[in-house]
Amino acid sequence: MTRFMALLCLVLAALPWRAQADSLRATGDLGVVVERASGALLIIDQSDHAAIGRVEGLGDLSHASVVFSPDERFAYVFGRDGGLSKVDLLTQSVAGRVLQSGNAIGGAISDDGRLVAVSNYEPGGVRVFDAGTLKMVADIPTGSKTIGLVDAPGRRFVFTLWDAGETWIADFSKGEAAVTPPKITRVQGIGRNPYDALITADGRRYIAGLFGEDGLTALDLWQQPPIPRRILAGYGRGEEPLPVYKMPHLEGWALAGERFVLPAVGRHEVLWIDSRSLEEVGRTRTHGQPVFAVARPDGQQVWVNFAHPLNDTVEVIDTPSGEVIHRLTPGPAVLHMEFTPRGHEVWVSVRDAGRIDIYDTHSFEKLGEVAAQNPSGIFFTARAHRTGL
Amino acid sequence: MTRFMALLCLVLAALPWRAQADSLRATGDLGVVVERASGALLIIDQSDHAAIGRVEGLGDLSHASVVFSPDERFAYVFGRDGGLSKVDLLTQSVAGRVLQSGNAIGGAISDDGRLVAVSNYEPGGVRVFDAGTLKMVADIPTGSKTIGLVDAPGRRFVFTLWDAGETWIADFSKGEAAVTPPKITRVQGIGRNPYDALITADGRRYIAGLFGEDGLTALDLWQQPPIPRRILAGYGRGEEPLPVYKMPHLEGWALAGERFVLPAVGRHEVLWIDSRSLEEVGRTRTHGQPVFAVARPDGQQVWVNFAHPLNDTVEVIDTPSGEVIHRLTPGPAVLHMEFTPRGHEVWVSVRDAGRIDIYDTHSFEKLGEVAAQNPSGIFFTARAHRTGL
């Protein structure tokens, strides 16, 4: 019996240690892939080039987007069905879920990580939730479909009204969100039917694309109140010579050197925009109608994917020369590209091949692949530390 | 006995689960504070405004700096005594340590997180280590004290030779570092006695400060090979009307809107530099000789601390106007300031008060404090995702 007890003590002593060593995992190099068809997130490890788990039961994930908590532990998933899910990347489980509206598009997390906002079509408006509990702390009806929701510095959310052509800035910097309503600044005259918007990485410029007329509208959020400025008058649907298969995404209007790059609407081109004047300074001819034109974090390259039926291809543009320097064909339906935070790799979702491809962005060598079920958006946790992503 | 065994089973079943729940911790909001006098790192949690542990035995930490692994789990600490320590933030222990030279200054981690480089005074040169094992994989003697070591995109390290006035670019992109020596590009004509250098956040511009003559030297790393360009001819020791108490740090030459901000040498001023032309476009008068002038991540503010004997004060400059809009006096010997990654807070080390102060950067309200032993540098894990930090 004494020997049995001694053995038992050894077992008891060893167990917590083993469990601890097994369960320790840092979160800075994790990410998620949206598996739209199955309503699931695949959890990925960037360093290991591997999937490490799957979390299901997240509802309709068409056009889903994801933001992360500041500790890079929780992914907030915004579903098309109005579902807001909080997924724990460490326990690989759903930590919370609310069905907050009938039809939603996108969301954002405040700079302090305390508030999560969702943009709704039905009913129109923005709802804001406590990031810890998912309890609603503010309801901002707008009487309009709401699009282009982003976070801005100073615990603010910025979003735009499709029907009214207004941009609203909701400032939560004073008091507790559940008690003190946000201060709302309404900026009129944004234009007819804004369909998407972005904020630059420094949180200064908010730019809305227009469906109902040509051009884009820029706001300088350092101005109080911001004065809308129409830019790129020729940009839009109005004069396109080609049918528009898909309105391009405005997300990721990243700075490439001294210029922004923007997918043209309905043309086989990307546009280069001077980052100061916001005027067009050049175009690059591309393989197809661009969907995403994303700058590598250092800005020296821009990677572009394309609308159906040319969506098996990705082109790489060299920023200094504006030339296409590389073309690859990962496979059918390339839907999204995500760079590692310092840009040494890009992960590419190839939906109809059921694969994520991983490329070295300097040699263009394929480094690996990860199986996924109809993957669309890829989101690395490093987004937690960025504004407007 | 049966009841004893049943109880035992319950205990056994419960233990692993409890250990797991206790030990789960994400790493995106962690950080470390250098406690120079005790050769220790204080581990801090940004979300909780708290210290969560201390790791000792790290040697001489005067002028120590820290970089992080891509998963934000490990801190690599570069000590003045040539010690390179790898600290595990999850187990709060030293995961590895080598005394790699007699006298070192600073280090960097490659964009893929696989290589850690250290800059040495004695013997002069750069040594490169496997980030996993801390085994040396490359030794690059330079015959000179080596300063201004930074990482650049494409698995490169850039550093400068104090004696020879040269900048070297070591390119590790081809092959395994332990087998294939790096490709070295030597750029001559940097100037007399470069004492520190920086790389801009996009990894494009490398700028060295000169001790032996006025001005700074800029390289455009998009050029092959880069051609040195002398900028800010009046900048330096040569004409200063005041004794120089401390050469300013060049780290954190962050973009504030369309300008960089730079601490003047020996003057109570910061300089504004146009980010395109690299020419001076203005100055702001400050309380003392600036040591760090650091832009909030959105660039709308610059926070400045000062050299002895005026080092109890911090000033906040509004970028658009160039005016000092706020002054605070945290206490004796304000040595460093670190912003949370999206800029809503700044953490300030007040060495002689044994405290880290936490401020809201929008209201300037003090949010909290954390006790620390003679704190100097503060480093949040979000640096893992940035170039050149």
Side-chain angles (χ1 to χ4, degrees), chain A residues 301-322:
Chain A
Q301 290 177 356
V302 173
W303 289 56
V304 189
N305 72 338
F306 302 101
H308 181 84
L310 299 173
N311 60 355
D312 65 342
T313 297
V314 168
E315 284 185 327
V316 182
I317 305 174
D318 172 63
T319 299
S321 67

Side-chain angles (χ1 to χ4, degrees), chain A residues 98-162:
Chain A
V98 290
L99 208 61
Q100 59 85 44
S101 81
N103 190 314
I105 186 83
I109 185 164
S110 60
D111 59 0
D112 62 356
R114 309 264 171 192
L115 302 174
V116 173
V118 191
S119 173
N120 287 313
Y121 278 3
E122 283 296 331
V126 167
R127 286 179 165 162
V128 181
F129 299 83
D130 180 291
T133 62
L134 295 194
K135 201 181 143 189
M136 187 162 78
V137 293
D139 188 8
I140 310 172
T142 58
S144 167
K145 282 184 193 169
T146 309
I147 59 94
L149 170 65
V150 300
D151 60 87
R155 226 186 191 201
R156 291 179 299 169
F157 294 109
V158 186
F159 49 89
T160 294
L161 283 51
W162 160 272

Side-chain angles (χ1 to χ4, degrees), chain B residues 64-78:
Chain B
S65 62
V66 178
V67 300
F68 295 96
S69 62
D71 63 357
E72 300 184 332
R73 174 169 180 170
F74 297 101
Y76 297 91
V77 188
F78 307 101

